[in-house]
């Protein structure tokens, strides 16, 4: 009993440490500290209160945060780590392609290659593998069953998008629990297939949603258990609540250049983030030639209708053309390019303090996935 009370007290103390680096140092102090810190239930609680920091960008290799960024020291611990699992996966007729990263895992599925492949006709992806890059492990998922795959007709498929999702709000779920979602955009509807690691099976019934063609919906965002897609044509958000497994549509405020009409929606550089009390927040890059970010938060009027309130205007370093790369580890990442040079500077915005810091510099723009995680010493196997 005394040991249990001591461990519970240590947990409460460690949960109050401000950063993952502080926790890593505490875990090296003694065996009892290490036992408490390394336990899966504690790490899950810590990750909920302190998002693992953004460490770098994965695009083939790994581009880490560079000094003096606060994440640089943790990113340096990955210098000799191969974050690709493609060579570990079993041989396939098609090349394994990385689709998503979340909570220390990477999702792979085959990419059709070779002669006779019609790249203008998207197909339904039925094979998936979930990998743990740090521990060099992988799990092959059972193929999407025929009775589920038969619910979409190949001529109607516009796009097949697969991604990782948290296990849900069940407090008893394990550190290793996850879900894989396969979203099929069809000509008149969306069909969502879900695999749960808790059962080791695909859910028996897909989630469907009637929509117009998705031609303008591209980048995926995540906040408060919801995935969001910006529909350029309607200039609104398609929202999937993974707790209720329901789709909905949320209107957006006017873009920075409304006089451009449809083009303004297409050019809107935006990111959806978590605001307080379960609300959505949105960052938007201002119109060209003006160097600031607009921050707005979702709210409801007295009739319950959705609206957005302007909250902050955040200055950016001048003389760059900006784009948003995504959100991870408590940061928004932007890239900035200048005329007459290929060098690209990356900047991070701390979502708590709204502080802008230089993240790294590269010889050209990197199109990859953002990697956030705890130092390897605090990363138990996730598979």
């Amino acid at each position: 009993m005394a040991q249990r009370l001591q461990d519970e007290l240590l947990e409460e103390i460690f949960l109050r440490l401000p950063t993952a680096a502080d926790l890593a140092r505490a875990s090296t102090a003694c065996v009892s500290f290490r036992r408490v810190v390394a336990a899966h239930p504690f790490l899950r609680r810590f990750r909920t209160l302190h998002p693992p920091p953004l460490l770098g960008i994965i695009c083939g290799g790994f581009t880490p945060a560079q000094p003096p960024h606060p994440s640089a020291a943790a990113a340096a611990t990955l210098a000799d780590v191969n974050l690709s699992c493609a060579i570990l996966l079993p041989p396939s007729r098609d090349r394994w392609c990385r689709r998503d990263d979340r909570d220390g895992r990477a999702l792979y599925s085959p990419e059709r290659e070779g002669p006779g492949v019609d790249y203008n006709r998207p197909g339904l992806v039925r094979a998936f593998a979930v990998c743990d890059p740090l521990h060099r492990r992988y799990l092959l998922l059972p193929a999407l069953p025929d009775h589920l795959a038969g619910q979409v007709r190949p001529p109607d498929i516009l796009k097949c998008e697969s991604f990782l999702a948290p296990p849900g709000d069940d407090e008893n779920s394990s550190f290793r629990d996850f879900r894989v979602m396969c979203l099929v955009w069809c000509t008149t509807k969306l069909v969502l297939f879900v695999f749960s690691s808790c059962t080791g099976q695909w859910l028996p019934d897909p989630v469907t949603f009637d929509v117009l063609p998705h031609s303008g919906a591209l980048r995926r965002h995540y906040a408060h258990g919801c995935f969001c897609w910006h529909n350029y044509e309607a200039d609104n958000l398609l929202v999937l609540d993974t707790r209720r497994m329901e789709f909905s549509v949320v209107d957006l405020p006017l873009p920075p250049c409304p006089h451009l009409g449809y083009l303004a929606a297409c050019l809107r550089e935006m990111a959806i983030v978590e605001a307080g009390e379960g609300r959505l927040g949105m960052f938007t890059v201002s119109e060209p030639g003006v160097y600031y970010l607009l921050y707005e938060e979702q709210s409801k009027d007295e009739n319950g209708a959705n609206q957005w309130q302007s909250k902050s205007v955040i200055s950016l370093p001048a003389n760059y053309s900006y784009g948003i790369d995504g959100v991870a580890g408590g940061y928004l990442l932007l890239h900035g390019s200048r005329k007459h040079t290929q060098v690209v500077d990356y900047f991070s915005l701390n979502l708590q303090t709204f502080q802008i810091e230089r993240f790294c510099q590269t010889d050209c723009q990197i199109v990859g996935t953002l990697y956030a995680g705890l130092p390897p010493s605090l990363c138990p196997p996730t598979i």
Side-chain angles (χ1 to χ4, degrees):
M1 177 63 72
Q3 182 67 58
R4 180 179 177 183
L5 290 175
Q6 179 182 351
D7 288 353
E8 290 178 352
L9 179 60
L10 286 174
E11 283 191 16
E12 295 304 317
I13 294 173
F14 292 152
L15 286 173
R16 287 162 172 76
L17 293 175
T19 68
D22 296 324
L23 184 64
R25 285 191 289 269
S27 71
T28 63
C30 63
V31 174
S32 59
F33 283 16
R34 176 64 186 174
R35 183 187 67 253
V36 172
V37 169
H40 282 206
F42 171 79
L43 284 175
R44 188 170 182 226
R45 292 180 65 193
F46 187 86
R47 289 170 67 103
T48 301
L49 296 173
H50 310 278
L54 175 62
L55 302 181
I57 309 169
I58 297 175
C59 182
F62 179 67
T63 301
Q66 298 171 359
H69 194 272
S71 297
T77 62
L78 298 174
D80 299 323
V81 177
N82 181 358
L83 293 177
S84 173
C85 286
I87 61 174
L88 295 178
L89 297 173
S92 170
R93 182 185 65 181
D94 302 314
R95 180 175 65 93
W96 287 99
C97 182
R98 196 179 193 124
R99 304 298 184 183
D100 194 24
D101 286 84
R102 180 173 299 276
D103 298 333
R105 304 179 188 92
L107 176 65
Y108 284 81
S109 66
E111 182 174 62
R112 296 182 303 162
E113 294 185 326
V117 173
D118 183 359
Y119 292 103
N120 295 319
R121 184 180 294 277
L124 177 63
V125 178
R126 301 182 61 177
F128 299 93
V130 177
C131 303
D132 181 337
L134 286 180
H135 297 91
R136 315 305 291 163
R137 298 182 179 187
Y138 70 87
L139 173 67
L140 287 178
L141 272 57
L144 188 69
D146 291 340
H147 73 276
L148 291 177
Q151 299 191 38
V152 294
R153 297 176 62 252
D156 295 333
I157 297 176
L158 299 172
K159 178 183 177 183
C160 186
E161 181 177 2
S162 52
F163 49 95
L164 289 161
D169 291 334
D170 184 359
E171 294 183 356
N172 296 319
S173 60
S174 165
F175 186 82
R176 301 186 182 189
D177 292 340
F178 61 89
R179 287 179 289 179
V180 171
M181 299 192 171
C182 179
L183 180 61
V184 185
W185 302 78
C186 298
T187 52
T188 59
K189 65 180 179 179
L190 298 175
V191 182
L192 178 70
F193 304 109
V194 181
F195 172 87
S196 171
S197 67
C198 298
T199 63
Q201 298 178 344
W202 293 90
L203 300 189
D205 298 308
V207 180
T208 60
F209 185 66
D210 294 333
V211 293
L212 294 174
H214 87 290
S215 58
L218 291 176
R219 178 177 288 175
R220 184 178 64 252
H221 310 264
Y222 177 82
H224 292 307
C226 295
F227 289 97
C228 310
W229 292 263
H230 179 203
N231 186 335
Y232 294 157
E233 291 185 347
D235 199 23
N236 57 22
L237 286 180
L238 174 69
V239 179
L240 168 63
D241 188 328
T242 64
R243 296 156 297 189
R244 299 183 179 91
M245 296 307 295
E246 295 177 350
F247 285 98
S248 61
V249 174
V250 173
D251 293 330
L252 290 174
L254 289 174
C257 306
H259 60 280
L260 296 178
Y262 170 71
L263 185 59
C266 293
L267 296 176
R268 190 202 292 255
E269 280 283 344
M270 56 169 283
I272 299 298
V273 299
E274 296 182 349
E277 301 178 354
R279 299 190 304 272
L280 300 179
M282 183 176 73
F283 286 98
T284 307
V285 175
S286 64
E287 58 188 283
V290 182
Y291 307 106
Y292 57 80
L293 280 173
L294 305 175
Y295 177 61
E296 299 165 278
E297 286 187 1
Q298 179 193 28
S299 62
K300 301 288 184 181
D301 61 20
E302 61 275 8
N303 298 318
N306 178 69
Q307 61 182 10
W308 294 83
Q309 293 184 340
S310 178
K311 292 294 185 179
S312 298
V313 177
I314 303 160
S315 297
L316 298 172
N319 301 321
Y320 286 94
S321 176
Y322 284 99
I324 293 178
D325 293 86
V327 176
Y331 288 98
L332 169 74
L333 189 67
L334 307 101
H335 64 266
S337 56
R338 298 176 184 263
K339 292 182 178 180
H340 312 303
T341 178
Q342 291 186 330
V343 173
V344 178
D345 291 308
Y346 286 80
F347 300 90
S348 67
L349 172 74
N350 187 307
L351 297 179
Q352 295 296 322
T353 65
F354 285 4
Q355 181 180 359
I356 291 281
E357 297 174 284
R358 188 181 297 275
F359 187 79
C360 67
Q361 186 180 82
T362 62
D363 294 334
C364 60
Q365 184 179 340
I366 300 172
V367 180
T369 57
L370 305 188
Y371 183 84
L374 298 173
S377 61
L378 294 180
C379 290
T382 61
I383 296 175

